[in-house]
Amino acid sequence: MPTPTLYYFPMSPPARAVLLLVKELGLTVNVKEVNPLAGETRTEEFMRINPEHTIPTLDDNGFYLGESRAILTYLVDAYRPGHSLYPNIPKEKALINRVLHYDLGSFYPKFGSSFGGLFSGEQTEITEENKATAHKALTDLENYLVRNDFFAGENPTLADLTLLPTIATAVHCGLDLTKYKRLNDWYENCRQLKGFEDDQEASRQMGEFLRSNSFGGLFSGEQTEITEENKATAHKALGDLENYLVRNDFFAGENPTVADLSLLPTIATAVHCGLDLTKYKRLNEWYENCRQLKGYEDDQEASRQMGEFLRSKFPEGLQALN
């Protein structure tokens, strides 16, 4: 049987929920990254398979399905019917469905509205109203954990998989989950999920994206152009950094170390946002030398997506630094 294709974007918590399920069930799925911020879900080809142009979207051999919660239930029913994540027991399934519907209709839109605009540039700060909305959403959500360790019983189900990426993203963006004891305990219990660490990494990247401050105002919407002061600050930082490469090919010697791993994602992001690194000869040579790293290409893809996101809001990107 041909392998299903999942159209996915790592900045989408609902898409990551489906990936959590794929890993938990051990399914073989072709994962194809599609960036909605770059208009890739509005192409004629994509609109044919999902007129709502949303991520995630599943193509199961010509059967097209959007909406993450529908995809979650379909994959279990189609490939692992009766699995404990979505058992064929009416009352247990009803409890799971209740949480899935609550997440879709209440929690996700309410909680997401409290800080989602920081990513799109529609808001530049979290207001008192945002805080109150988020607090109420989290408090209401926590009520589901009064009797059980997980959202629909004593073991993980689809109810937990659909919520985890949203909560993880908020945690890595600065939410102190310890203020919500039951939610925090649940979050720790979710570490048993096979895809937990991978989802943590995606959440961490989103947190770093939000917190970036060297030219982060362009991402958050706080600024719409690069000033002369910005240019001077960036050039000095890059010039100072390049001084570490006077004697060696890498930042702490002749071979890659954690020093290089720490710096590469920042430089790669700047390059894909428009920085001309060839003006910094030693840095540019170091950047090319980093191609030997096993995770280089994956990091390039993440950096490319961040570049596309910036250019969707600010077409010039970082070219003004050049």
Side-chain angles (χ1 to χ4, degrees), residues 50-71:
N50 185 350
E52 295 178 341
H53 51 81
T54 56
I55 292 293
T57 293
L58 182 72
D59 174 5
D60 190 4
N61 306 305
F63 172 68
Y64 304 120
L65 186 63
E67 172 49 46
S68 66
R69 297 151 193 87
I71 295 172

Side-chain angles (χ1 to χ4, degrees), residues 41 43 62 73 181 222 283 315:
T41 58
T43 64
T73 58
K181 184 180 184 305
E222 294 175 6
L283 264 180

Side-chain angles (χ1 to χ4, degrees), residues 218 223-227 230 314 316 320:
L218 297 174
Q223 63 185 101
T224 58
E225 63 179 357
I226 294 177
T227 66
N230 295 148
F314 181 61
E316 189 180 7

